[in-house]
Amino acid sequence: MSAQPQIPADEWRRRAAALRPRAHIFIDGKFQPSESGETFDNINPATGISLGAVAAGGEADIDRAVASARAAFRKGSWANQPPKARKKVLLKFAELMLEHREELALLETLDMGKPISDSLAVDIPSAANCIRWYGEAVDKIYDEIAPTGPGTLAMITREPMGVVGAIVPWNFPLIMASWKIGPVLACGNSLVLKPSEKSPLSALRVAELAIEAGLPEGVFNVVPGFGHTAGKALAAHMDVDCIAFTGSTATGKTVMQLAAQSNLKKVGLECGGKSPNIVMADAPDLDKAATAAAFAIFFNQGEMCSAGSRLLVEASIKDELLEKIAAVGRAMRPGDPLDPATKLGAIVDEAQMKRVLSYIDAGKTDGAKVALGGSRVRVDSGGYFVEPTVFDDVKPAMRIAREEIFGPVLATITFNDVEEAVQIANDVEYGLAAAIWTRDINVAHRTARALRAGTVYVNCYDADDITVPFGGFKQSGIGRDKSLHAFDKYTELKTTWIELS
């Protein structure tokens, strides 16, 4: 298949100006206003200008969405379909997402400021692949027969939970939503999805595509709104059987409390990170390590829970490695997200930009040295842009070395041996991801085992795919997204014990 011609920036801008995105709540297969009639402005982070008003869902809207989801589940229009029938719909759903990839990519870029080239090449294909993968997996999951005597048959079966609530973040709006949508629907559940108020547009559009693919009405509902209203109502709802959340650790704790205080619903959390990227002096390819380290923190404007935000480097190679990372960073200047040449887009909103800049100020105040960047840029655009920033001379006790910044800010810490590196790496409250660069396979294995993280990369960073689980140790969450292990969150195990005598 020949490569598609690249769409120029002016054409993307023309499409953006003409775009009229869906902006109402999606319940029971239809778009409708919120019960209160309230809306919120959806701001384009690249310009600071509103993309339009979006319905602000509240408790009453969550009640309606959950009731619709429960009615669909009880009716069995989806839950009782054989796996091969659900597979057919999910594969069609993924196909439609790819057919509308340019529209969906534009929504992602306008909503949260990421480069259109990333939205088009990474976000939409990855999201569609997730839906496709779970569609393909659903008729390949077998139940079990327990080992018993000849007079007994003991069956262990998986059953759908019922109604699942999902609260997803703004950094990868459609990918994060798909990590919930795929396994939730594949298992036969009904879903109420609350996208972030900072990036609601793609979720509303794909809900419409799901219906077009053949998903019964009521099975997939989307309620945009704020965390303290719609999110709280969903987590605390007495008729939601499971709540799945991706976002900050602080909010994850609140979701867990609400789940316990209501109906003790099942909880899955994928929360924050402060991931260490350890580079030993014997790293097999320092250029590759430097490029990976730069993309691990600058890709997606650093707005990644798994970002390699702590660079732990053996002292003897620190200066050389930082020089190489800075060279990559200088080539990733923030630009117009609608320009295909742009490699670094806008921070999602003004509040997040101010948070990132406040951490940069804290790093300076605490005595760290700015080796690259450190400032807001493109101020005249009206948007929220921060240049790639690298700190040197960072001490493990500094805030920029311990707290999640969620921006393009790298904290560099030196060590003298691998034991010290592991101690520094593990000495934070998070445990989402980590990496080790070494040509010594024994050091690689020992370090991977010693690191308290859900994913450990060896001589690479962020190189996994949908086939492996993703989630964290410690305060980085509970449970796993992706892979077959995601089915554990959205199914109940039932034992049926039959006496045959």
Side-chain angles (χ1 to χ4, degrees), residues 61 82 103 119 134 186 282 288 402 449:
D61 303 296
E103 176 193 359
S119 295
Y134 282 106
D282 71 339
K288 180 181 176 182
R402 305 193 68 80
R449 289 187 176 185

Side-chain angles (χ1 to χ4, degrees), residues 43-348:
I43 303 298
N44 180 349
T47 63
I49 298 172
S50 176
L51 295 166
V54 176
E59 184 175 358
D61 303 296
I62 292 295
D63 285 343
R64 288 192 296 136
V66 172
S68 175
R70 179 61 67 187
F73 185 74
R74 286 176 175 160
K75 185 179 178 182
S77 56
W78 181 249
N80 292 344
Q81 286 195 31
K84 66 178 181 180
R86 297 201 299 270
K87 171 182 177 176
K88 182 178 179 181
V89 172
L90 290 174
L91 293 181
K92 179 62 176 177
F93 183 18
E95 180 183 316
L96 287 171
M97 290 170 67
L98 290 177
E99 286 180 10
H100 293 268
R101 62 166 67 87
E102 292 174 2
E103 176 193 359
L104 293 172
L106 184 57
L107 292 173
E108 296 290 81
T109 289
L110 293 175
D111 240 356
M112 65 79 56
K114 67 175 61 196
I116 189 67
S117 56
D118 290 342
S119 295
L120 197 58
V122 178
D123 291 60
I124 308 310
S126 296
N129 181 61
C130 176
I131 302 298
R132 181 194 303 111
W133 195 86
Y134 282 106
E136 288 285 4
V138 68
D139 63 354
K140 301 171 182 66
I141 304 296
Y142 289 81
D143 293 323
E144 303 171 50
I145 300 294
T148 60
T152 303
L153 176 64
M155 300 185 296
I156 304 167
T157 55
R158 286 184 182 271
E159 296 186 0
M161 293 287 301
V163 176
V164 176
I167 302 172
V168 296
W170 46 261
N171 58 331
F172 291 94
L174 195 51
I175 291 178
M176 295 296 98
S178 296
W179 285 9
K180 315 299 185 190
I181 296 167
V184 168
L185 296 184
C187 291
N189 297 290
S190 295
L191 175 64
V192 178
L193 175 69
K194 194 207 86 67
S196 170
E197 69 278 5
K198 300 178 184 182
S199 58
L201 300 182
S202 61
L204 290 167
R205 183 66 177 106
V206 297
E208 188 177 29
L209 293 179
I211 297 296
E212 184 179 340
L215 193 71
E217 294 177 356
V219 173
F220 181 16
N221 307 276
V222 180
V223 182
F226 295 93
H228 65 275
T229 51
K232 179 179 180 181
L234 188 58
H237 204 285
M238 293 297 292
D239 202 27
V240 170
D241 302 297
C242 170
I243 187 76
F245 168 81
T246 298
S248 72
T249 294
T251 304
K253 291 179 179 180
T254 299
V255 168
M256 195 168 186
Q257 290 174 338
L258 292 169
Q261 292 166 358
S262 52
N263 60 342
L264 205 63
K265 59 178 63 67
K266 194 173 184 178
V267 177
L269 304 175
E270 195 266 279
C271 299
K274 194 68 180 177
S275 300
N277 186 12
I278 302 170
V279 183
M280 305 293 296
D282 71 339
D285 185 336
L286 209 57
D287 288 325
K288 180 181 176 182
T291 299
F295 276 88
I297 187 60
F298 301 144
F299 177 72
N300 210 55
Q301 302 72 246
E303 296 166 323
M304 300 186 294
C305 53
S306 60
S309 54
R310 288 186 296 154
L311 177 66
L312 277 57
V313 56
E314 196 161 356
S316 62
I317 62 165
K318 186 258 292 182
D319 291 342
E320 181 183 2
L321 183 63
L322 282 190
E323 184 177 325
K324 293 177 182 294
I325 291 172
V328 178
R330 281 190 288 269
M332 298 179 71
R333 298 293 300 173
D336 178 3
L338 290 176
D339 186 342
T342 295
K343 300 301 181 186
L344 199 71
I347 301 297
V348 71

Side-chain angles (χ1 to χ4, degrees), residues 4-66:
Q4 295 295 313
Q6 187 180 74
I7 299 171
D10 286 345
E11 174 60 16
W12 283 118
R13 295 180 188 120
R14 186 196 67 77
R15 294 186 188 186
L19 190 67
R20 298 295 181 267
R22 279 67 171 168
H24 285 126
I25 291 166
F26 192 81
I27 297 176
D28 206 27
K30 297 176 284 294
F31 287 107
Q32 47 198 282
S34 64
E35 284 282 326
S36 67
E38 294 180 359
T39 61
F40 61 88
D41 274 332
N42 188 29
I43 303 298
N44 180 349
T47 63
I49 298 172
S50 176
L51 295 166
V54 176
E59 184 175 358
D61 303 296
I62 292 295
D63 285 343
R64 288 192 296 136
V66 172

